[in-house]
Every structure is written in structure tokens, then in C-alpha cells.
Amino acid sequence: MNMVKMQLLSFRYGKKDVLNDISMRLEPGKIYGLLGENGVGKTTLLKVIAGLQKPWNGSCSVFGENPFNRTPSFLSRIYYLPEELEYIQNDYSIRFFAKINGPFYPNFDNEKFEAILKEFAVEGDKKLNSLSHGQTKKGAIAFALATNVDLLLMDEPSNGLDIPSKTLFRRIIVEYVSDNTCTLISTHQVRDLENLIDPIIILDNKAVLMNASLEEISEKLYFGLHSTIPTQALYSEPVPGGYLCVMENDDLGESKVNLEALFNATMQHKKRMQELFVANAAETSAPSLRPE
Amino acid sequence: MNNNTFQFKRTGKLIGRTFQQNATTMRNTALVLAAIPIFFLLLGTLTSGEGASLGVRGEILTILVGVFFVISPFFFYKLYNHPKKGLPEVMLPASVLEKFVAMQVTCIIVLPLMAILFFGGVDALLTALFPNLQSGYAIAYFFNDKVTEEAFLIMFLTLQAVFFCNLLFVRGKVFKTIASFVVVNMLLSIVLVSLIMFMESLGFFDEISDDVHINLNEYDLFGFFGEENPLVVSGFLFKLFMTVVLPIIFMIGSYRLMKTKRY
């Protein structure tokens, strides 16, 4: 069952096109990584799914509803964690924030909230406007996870976290995200989400270039270290000991997907990548659903 | 009613949330309100040997209730349509109708009631404790002399206009709201004066006595149906528009803004 269905969705701010004919589907129980260059429309896409923005054209359906209607049944099943934390930097603590907002989410779990706060070592009773950016972000993440919603949207959640916290963040997401929750995490810092996200969605403002699982990616692409750059390499970068190369996988065997190299290879060979990941290409050309 | 449209339970939770969210500010406001009658009593006693007159205290209470009534949307919901700070409100699992009703109830009741309870209550207490220093109850003066249907309708119209402006403007709300009020009043005055001058040029007033006096407040809201004088009927229609139609237009406009706001 698809939680999110987008068909030929377009969005523009004034005369500036941000998203053009974007189509994709998201399923429950997966942690999707939404990758894309700065300004490509990742935040806008999350806002459309969250019902904060209305598509200019095409359709977006979440749990079978038009998200822009913002019905209670829709809002109680979704949580959007924005990149900027102005919304939460108030004269009260994260515990108070949870106390006044938690009861609106039917599956809010206060024990889980407290456990995550403890793991993140966040001072739950300290006023949010006196906490550091990183601490505030951890508090906001703890609340988002404790809502136990079906669809969790996180915009650049690792921004502002120090290195140990980024590792902790990955572990907490794996441990605390409910089994049936569909999580969509946008980032332009792909290394932060290594070993966490699967499937991978790579976006540019013209199309979804890739929406594929790591297994599918490693079946179709090979990531390897070579002393020289092979002629068939789609992408290469110098690393200690040679070159990290991305090639089409013609019986080269399985390899570990390097997200940063994958992203760069996709940016350099957009059309070929779309062709390789056929399911996504077919999705893109599917007929449009009408808005509800 | 549909579970997704309106539930009293969720609306009550929203009102409770507003109280919790603003508890500190409300407590401080209550303390200031309670301190004002004490301040006036002390000031009066020190300067003239007795507290402020009932008229002065009653007028202060009236002004406080009026001001609190009108500014309550800014007090409680200033951030509702802020593109970043408004997210917790708009993403809260409740329908737009529930949020709208909770906001209206809070604005109409909470702040004005605070002024009545804390200013009026302390004033009454002081009168009871020190009858030789001040006499009469401001709260009684307010309810007997100031609370009229006419006054309530005008305040309700003003509240709905402020409520609408609070949702319409994102930044500089207070200044833009005041500026809008000034501009709209000026435009209305110009239109009315032009209309009267136009009617006069047509000779409409030639047969009407110079001494004619129309007091619209002498009639109830729909009293104009029995009148035949076109001037009286026009006046009543204008009054009906201002006190009934316009607040409804503002309320529908506010609801639409909440429903269609993009963040």
C-alpha cells in the first residue's frame, strides 16, 4: 500500500519553477533518503506532502487524502520536522512543548519521548530559547519520534548536530522509528545518513532521478576502488590508494553503495540513471491522478 | 457532525492548550490588572485623602475591557500565520473550524473576563475593605452603565476586524491593522459625505426639516421595517451592514485565510 502518491506534481514560487512533473510513491516501514542539490525543492516537496503548500499542477495524495485539506485524521498521522527551529524556540521547555502538543497525537508515547531525551542528554526542563541549536534540534527530534505517526517528514535533521550526535541520531532513528512508519529524511549531507536510509530518492527540479533500494542500486551499479580510472566509469574521484569509481554493474559483483559517489554520479548522468532505474522512469510517465 | 469537521472535545483541548501556552503572560497580566486599583487607591489617598471616584474607576475598567477585547487576537494568536513560527499551530491535529472556534471563544471571553475579574474584583474588595476611602463598585458601574447591545456590537465588529487583520498581515501586524482602520474610516467618511452631497444636489433634502433628528439607537436592530422615511431606512440598512453583515464577512474571511494559508 502506498502512503504517498505523487503524479506529475509541479510547483512554482511566483514565476520560478521549483518542481516539474514529479512522480513518486512512498511505502510504509521504510526510511527514505531524499537527496538533492541546494535549492532543488526538497523542502518544498516535504511541505507539499505535509499540506503546508499546494501543488501548482498534478496531484499529491497522502493516506488517500489531499494533504492541503489538513483534516484532523490526516494531521494526527503525520509529523513534519522543519530544518529551522524558530517554531520551537520559545520561552518554555521541550517537556512543556510535549505536554501541550502530545495529547493531540493519538499514539504519542511519553515514555519513548523521555527515553530519547535521556539518550540525547537533552535538558528537558530548560527553556528552549536558552538551549544550543543542537540541543533544541535533539529535543525536536525526540518529540517527532514520540508522536509515533505513520508518516514522519524530517528536513535536514542532522544539520546542527555534532559528530557524536549524528552517530547517535542514526542509531535512535533505527531504534525508535515504528515498524510501520514511513520516514522521509531530506538532506544534502549524504554522509550523515549513510547506513540509515534505504531506499534512496534523488531529486532535481525536473524529475525524480532515482527512487530505488540500496539492493537495487548495488545490483545495477558497482562502487569500487581502482588504481586507474576505467573507461566505463560513470563517475570517479581520487581517494587514498587510487580512485573510487562508479560503474554500471555488468557482472562486477556486489559492492557497498557509497551515497556521496552515487549522488555525484547521478548528477553527472541524470538521463542514464533514470534509464537504469526503470521502475522510476515508468512511474514518471504514468498518467496523472486528479486532485481530491 | 463529521469527526474531521468539528468535535467539542478537540476544541476544548485547543482552548486548554492556549491557556497552558500563555500561562505566564496571563499570570503577569492578572497581577498588573490587580495592582491598578491598589495603585489608584494609594495615589488618591496620598494626594487627596480618598481614592479615585467611582466614575474614574468605572471608566478605567470599561477602557480595559474594551482594549483587551480588541487586542486579544494579537495577544494569543500573533504567530498563527507566521511562515515558520506558526507551524505548531497549523500542523496541530484539529480541524480549521475547531481552531477558528477555539480562537474566537478565547478572544471574546478570556482577556475581557480577566480585566473584569482582576481589576473589578480587586476594586470591589478594596471598596468593601476601605469604605471610607472609596465608594461604589466599578464592576457595577460597568455592567449598569456601559454594557449595552450597541456597545457590544461595535466591539464585536472591531474584534472581528482585528482578528481578520491578524491573519491577513504576517509582519508589522499592529501597525498595519491601525493603518488599515484609519484608511477604511477615511474612505467610508469620504463615500458617505459624497453620497450626502450628491443626494443634496438632487434636492433630496429640500423638503426635510432642518430640525430632523434621527436616533438609530432608539430602535431595535430590525426596527427600520416599520419606517417609511428613506433616510431612516438607509441609516438602518447601514447600521445592519456594520453590525451584522460586516462581522460575518470578517469571520468568513478569517476562516478562509486559515483554511488556505500556505507556509
Side-chain angles (χ1 to χ4, degrees):
Chain A
M1 184 207 161
N2 295 307
M3 265 194 186
V4 179
K5 273 194 253 179
M6 271 183 204
Q7 291 289 343
L8 300 170
L9 182 139
S10 300
F11 186 88
R12 53 170 63 161
Y13 284 111
K15 287 182 178 175
K16 191 191 169 202
D17 281 335
V18 181
L19 300 168
N20 242 324
D21 290 344
I22 299 293
S23 296
M24 65 176 180
R25 291 167 189 227
L26 306 180
E27 294 169 7
K30 292 183 175 172
I31 301 174
Y32 289 86
L34 179 62
L35 314 181
E37 293 172 321
N38 283 336
V40 84
K42 298 189 293 294
T43 299
T44 304
L45 191 71
L46 293 184
K47 284 185 174 179
V48 169
I49 297 172
L52 295 169
Q53 285 287 359
K54 196 176 181 183
W56 177 75
N57 206 359
S59 73
C60 175
S61 144
V62 182
F63 316 125
E65 288 191 49
N66 177 356
F68 197 68
N69 289 342
R70 299 177 201 151
T71 61
S73 61
F74 165 78
L75 292 171
S76 62
R77 295 178 69 190
I78 186 168
Y79 193 83
Y80 169 60
L81 180 72
E83 181 187 5
E84 291 176 52
L85 299 172
E86 278 181 59
Y87 79 99
I88 204 173
Q89 281 163 335
N90 284 310
D91 198 25
Y92 45 72
S93 67
I94 189 67
R95 272 207 183 95
F96 185 78
F97 181 83
K99 187 183 163 193
I100 62 171
N101 293 302
F104 286 87
Y105 293 90
N107 298 321
F108 182 77
D109 183 345
N110 202 51
E111 280 179 25
K112 190 189 218 182
F113 172 68
E114 289 295 338
I116 301 171
L117 281 188
K118 197 176 171 188
E119 291 214 35
F120 268 141
V122 174
E123 294 174 85
D125 289 323
K126 209 168 173 185
K127 285 182 179 177
L128 284 158
N129 53 14
S130 65
L131 289 177
S132 69
H133 183 79
Q135 287 279 310
T136 311
K137 190 136 221 174
K138 288 178 205 169
I141 292 168
F143 179 78
L145 291 173
T147 56
N148 284 320
V149 287
D150 295 324
L151 179 60
L152 181 57
L153 308 171
M154 300 174 120
D155 194 3
E156 307 278 1
S158 59
N159 264 8
L161 299 183
D162 55 25
I163 293 168
S165 300
K166 283 178 180 177
T167 313
L168 192 57
F169 166 73
R170 286 193 290 266
R171 191 174 64 70
I172 282 173
I173 291 285
V174 172
E175 193 177 333
Y176 288 102
V177 165
S178 311
D179 291 344
N180 293 323
T181 297
C182 171
T183 309
L184 180 58
I185 306 176
S186 92
T187 189
H188 62 270
Q189 297 176 335
V190 288
R191 280 184 187 164
D192 289 352
L193 302 181
E194 203 111 50
N195 302 323
L196 174 68
I197 50 176
D198 183 16
I200 310 293
I201 300 168
I202 298 180
L203 187 72
D204 82 351
N205 56 6
K206 293 275 179 268
V208 175
L209 301 175
M210 180 183 291
N211 183 356
S213 67
L214 287 178
E215 190 184 356
E216 196 183 347
I217 294 167
S218 72
E219 271 173 21
K220 291 178 180 168
L221 295 173
Y222 177 81
F223 299 78
L225 186 68
H226 295 260
S227 53
T228 55
I229 303 170
T231 50
Q232 71 270 37
L234 291 169
Y235 171 80
S236 67
E237 65 180 50
V239 291
Y243 294 90
L244 172 65
C245 299
V246 182
M247 293 178 284
E248 289 187 32
N249 194 351
D250 301 319
D251 290 331
L252 291 169
E254 268 194 31
S255 60
K256 187 175 184 303
V257 176
N258 180 311
L259 284 184
E260 201 165 292
L262 171 71
F263 181 73
N264 290 331
T266 308
M267 288 298 113
Q268 287 182 13
H269 299 275
K270 292 177 180 175
K271 202 175 172 195
R272 181 63 190 141
M273 288 297 189
Q274 272 191 292
E275 287 166 1
L276 273 176
F277 295 92
V278 182
N280 183 55
E283 177 88 68
T284 309
S285 60
S288 171
L289 290 175
R290 297 315 329 147
E292 280 143 65
Chain B
M1 200 178 275
N2 186 327
N3 211 19
N4 259 338
T5 310
F6 191 84
Q7 269 190 352
F8 282 105
K9 194 180 167 191
R10 266 200 305 257
T11 311
K13 269 162 80 175
L14 284 169
I15 295 170
R17 180 181 176 273
T18 306
F19 275 108
Q20 288 178 298
Q21 219 173 359
N22 297 284
T24 312
T25 324
M26 285 170 72
R27 188 192 60 213
N28 295 341
T29 308
L31 287 173
V32 171
L33 284 168
I36 296 172
I38 300 171
F39 171 76
F40 271 96
L41 181 65
L42 286 173
L43 188 74
T45 310
L46 291 172
T47 53
S48 61
E50 60 179 25
S53 70
L54 176 62
V56 170
R57 287 180 286 121
E59 291 300 326
I60 291 171
L61 178 59
T62 308
I63 291 166
L64 281 173
V65 172
V67 169
F68 275 34
F69 194 71
V70 167
I71 64 158
S72 50
F74 295 139
F75 187 91
F76 289 115
Y77 303 108
K78 199 175 176 185
L79 298 176
Y80 189 90
N81 60 348
H82 190 281
K84 286 167 186 164
K85 294 178 181 175
L87 288 187
E89 309 299 325
V90 73
M91 292 302 288
L92 205 64
S95 71
V96 173
L97 183 62
E98 287 159 349
K99 289 172 189 173
F100 178 77
V101 171
M103 287 162 83
Q104 287 282 346
V105 169
T106 308
C107 288
I108 292 169
I109 295 171
V110 179
L111 270 191
L113 196 66
M114 274 178 69
I116 293 168
L117 282 180
F118 290 97
F119 181 96
V122 172
D123 174 82
L125 192 69
L126 291 174
T127 301
L129 289 174
F130 310 106
N132 53 330
L133 292 178
Q134 69 176 33
S135 61
Y137 297 97
I139 208 164
Y141 177 94
F142 171 74
F143 280 110
N144 292 335
D145 296 0
K146 296 293 172 182
V147 180
T148 61
E149 180 194 324
E150 189 73 14
F152 179 77
L153 288 173
I154 290 169
M155 292 313 291
F156 187 71
L157 166 67
T158 316
L159 170 68
Q160 293 311 326
V162 172
F163 196 98
F164 177 78
C165 289
N166 181 48
L167 293 167
L168 183 68
F169 303 124
V170 178
R171 291 185 177 84
K173 290 175 182 228
V174 179
F175 173 76
K176 284 178 184 168
T177 301
I178 294 169
S180 307
F181 275 44
V182 171
V183 170
V184 170
N185 272 305
M186 279 171 65
L187 285 176
L188 262 178
S189 305
I190 291 167
V191 169
L192 280 176
V193 169
S194 308
L195 190 69
I196 290 168
M197 285 170 72
F198 176 69
M199 287 165 79
E200 193 176 17
S201 69
L202 294 178
F204 186 83
F205 301 112
D206 290 353
E207 290 175 18
I208 295 178
S209 161
D210 288 345
D211 296 330
V212 73
H213 173 71
I214 302 164
N215 184 0
L216 297 175
N217 297 341
E218 286 172 358
Y219 305 86
D220 64 22
L221 206 54
F222 298 96
F224 69 91
F225 282 122
E227 286 292 336
E228 285 177 0
N229 188 321
L231 205 58
V232 175
V233 173
S234 308
F236 268 114
L237 282 174
F238 182 70
K239 184 184 170 188
L240 197 65
F241 176 77
M242 294 299 282
T243 53
V244 178
V245 180
L246 205 52
I248 292 172
I249 290 173
F250 278 129
M251 287 169 88
I252 293 169
S254 299
Y255 179 81
R256 285 290 303 163
L257 284 173
M258 287 172 70
K259 185 97 181 148
T260 56
K261 171 76 184 164
R262 298 170 190 207
Y263 290 80

